[in-house]
Amino acid sequence: MDATAYTNDAIVADEIQPRRTDKQIWGIYIVLCFISIIELFTASSHEVQATNVFAPVIRHVMFLAVGLMLMLALQRTHYRKFFKWTYGFAAISAGLMVVTLIYGDYINGARRSISIGGLFALQPSEMVKISVALMIAAILSKSQIKKVDDVTTKGTIQCALCVLVGGGLLFTQGLTNTLLLMAISLSMMIIGGVSFKKMLMVLAAFGVLGAGFLGLKDIIHDHKQANIPQYTPIVVAGTDITVGYDKEQISSKGGSGRESTWKKRLERHFKKDKFNDPITDENQQEQYSFIAQAHGGVTGVWIGNSRETSRLPLAFSDYIYAIIIEEMGLVGGIAILICYLWLLARAARIATRCQTAYPALLAIGMAVFIAFQAIFHMAIVTGLFPVSGQPLPLISKGGTSIIITSVALGIMLSVSRFAARKDRKTEINEEKKVLQAEIISENPVK
């Protein structure tokens, strides 16, 4: 595009009269922030300082404020600019993820964050998840086959590669983030028009690659054990004298630390009587979480009366939903779930009214990203999924999660404000003038 054309496009874009942003999205955001501040203060007893009991909630409010400023800026930005920024943001996210895997700080047995000035722990995994969603929206929007409800083979392969790269980066930190990324990505591909046949091919390819990866990992592990034996020393009782070695290798009892952790969590999850297990260091998170939810009952013990917040590890982040149910009961827990589902439904409504594919896929992709993360958190806390760390969007403590969730909401608001609607010819004509030719494909979201 030459400079004159770009200038003309900029002038046309300035002449477009944006609508007001979606009130329902703002309403959901305000409700979640209000609950977040209250419940974070309640659940932060482990972090409260004697000199300042409000320190955790003040820090949380600061991140919410930064997120709010980002939302306000993004809602005023025409969504077409996100297409240009997507590839750069994805590259930065992947680069930060690699740096984290090499130099990051250890959290729960894996390198997960990069400390910035000792004040903020950046977790690139959140950036990777949203960047993959943005990439898939961009790829699908320019890969639609005209007059056919399908996506080109090239576009399908590109989406699958995005999932593989993102999932591979996240797999080193935990299995749950990888599964979450796949759920978000595959859902977007289905909504974006990828045919059933191509989806089966993608799933089959993932299955083959996964089996091959596990097989190769076992071969490498066995090779290491064969060449680096670790034997148990046989020591004379009451002395420091070693007289021999037990030939059974210690390392044959299990794999790496993360694999062992996953295996134990799965074993505990599928036990028939897991709710009656005695509380140990390994299962205290889920057991105290179950106790908190049972204590809350249907109507809860009300705000500030939580009993388990002082015993439940990570009550302010990975298990904050348990504290919400304890204080607000089953009724409150369902209300929170409805907020996220409402957000998803609202995004679907916005998407179905868009004329072109890109804004529709942006809106639904950001909503799926937020809603699925919330559902994973709730499923883990209530015992439907095995134990893992997953924040509750906007509510759990965590600076990166709050910022990225705010970015996703800001993108949804931009789409609601600028995207042309199917029944408005003037808006459609204006949109065609400012959008890149490669993303003017027809909206596949019905």
Side-chain angles (χ1 to χ4, degrees), residues 171-397:
F171 186 76
T172 57
Q173 294 187 347
L175 183 60
T176 307
N177 269 334
T178 306
L179 295 176
L180 175 57
L181 178 70
M182 292 189 67
I184 294 168
S185 304
L186 295 177
S187 297
M188 288 186 66
M189 290 172 69
I190 293 171
I191 296 169
V194 178
S195 65
F196 181 71
K197 179 181 178 181
K198 290 177 181 176
M199 284 301 304
L200 285 180
M201 293 174 64
V202 169
L203 292 173
F206 285 170
V208 171
L209 289 172
F213 172 77
L214 293 175
L216 179 62
K217 195 171 184 179
D218 288 341
I219 292 172
I220 294 173
H221 180 267
D222 293 342
H223 177 73
K224 286 183 177 180
Q225 301 311 311
N227 290 278
I228 311 176
Q230 299 177 17
Y231 300 107
T232 306
I234 301 174
V235 182
V236 177
T239 73
D240 294 327
I241 301 174
T242 300
V243 296
Y245 294 89
D246 188 341
K247 294 184 179 181
E248 181 179 358
Q249 294 184 7
I250 299 173
S251 57
S252 66
K253 298 179 183 179
S256 67
R258 296 304 301 166
E259 292 172 344
S260 176
T261 300
W262 298 340
K263 183 178 179 180
K264 290 177 181 178
R265 288 177 175 178
L266 288 172
E267 288 174 350
R268 292 200 306 270
H269 177 70
F270 289 107
K271 283 186 66 175
K272 293 182 178 179
D273 58 344
K274 64 179 179 180
F275 296 104
N276 298 318
D277 278 355
I279 298 175
T280 64
D281 289 340
E282 290 184 341
N283 70 1
Q284 60 177 328
Q285 281 185 314
E286 55 259 51
Q287 291 300 320
Y288 285 131
S289 171
F290 298 151
I291 293 172
Q293 294 170 72
H295 185 218
V298 176
T299 58
V301 296
W302 199 234
I303 306 299
N305 293 323
S306 170
R307 182 184 65 194
E308 301 305 322
T309 183
S310 60
R311 298 196 295 178
L312 175 60
L314 300 178
F316 47 80
S317 56
D318 293 349
Y319 280 83
I320 197 167
Y321 191 61
I323 304 304
I324 291 174
I325 294 178
E326 183 182 14
E327 296 191 342
M328 300 171 63
L330 178 63
V331 174
I334 293 175
I336 297 296
L337 174 61
I338 290 174
C339 283
Y340 291 108
L341 295 179
W342 186 4
L343 181 68
L344 184 60
R346 190 58 190 167
R349 174 61 175 164
I350 294 170
T352 55
R353 298 179 67 185
C354 291
Q355 173 65 20
T356 52
Y358 184 59
L361 292 170
L362 265 184
I364 201 69
M366 296 302 98
V368 166
F369 164 71
I370 295 171
F372 274 32
Q373 184 151 313
I375 291 170
F376 268 56
H377 174 97
M378 295 175 188
I380 291 167
V381 170
T382 56
L384 294 177
F385 285 2
V387 174
S388 183
Q390 202 62 236
L392 188 59
L394 285 182
I395 296 181
S396 292
K397 174 193 172 185

Side-chain angles (χ1 to χ4, degrees), residues 59-184:
R59 183 175 182 275
H60 185 70
V61 170
M62 289 175 62
F63 280 115
L64 289 174
V66 173
L68 175 60
M69 288 188 287
L70 282 172
M71 284 178 61
L72 292 172
L74 290 173
Q75 77 162 3
R76 293 178 177 274
T77 304
H78 195 286
Y79 64 84
R80 78 186 192 281
K81 294 185 179 180
F82 304 143
F83 183 81
K84 300 177 182 178
W85 300 342
T86 290
Y87 296 94
F89 180 75
I92 293 172
S93 301
L96 287 173
M97 192 69 188
V98 171
V99 171
T100 301
L101 297 178
I102 300 173
Y103 303 107
D105 300 325
Y106 277 99
I107 301 175
N108 295 330
R111 293 187 186 273
R112 301 180 188 273
S113 65
I114 304 173
S115 180
I116 300 179
L119 301 174
F120 175 57
L122 176 67
Q123 293 189 323
S125 59
E126 298 297 316
M127 298 173 63
V128 169
K129 285 183 284 188
I130 194 174
S131 65
V132 170
L134 289 169
M135 286 283 290
I136 290 177
I139 293 169
L140 290 177
S141 66
K142 63 181 183 179
S143 303
Q144 299 292 316
I145 301 176
K146 293 182 178 180
K147 299 181 180 180
V148 179
D149 291 335
D150 199 0
V151 174
T152 62
T153 302
K154 179 182 178 181
T156 304
I157 293 173
Q158 289 176 341
C159 288
L161 288 175
C162 286
V163 179
L164 285 175
V165 173
L169 290 171
L170 293 177
F171 186 76
T172 57
Q173 294 187 347
L175 183 60
T176 307
N177 269 334
T178 306
L179 295 176
L180 175 57
L181 178 70
M182 292 189 67
I184 294 168

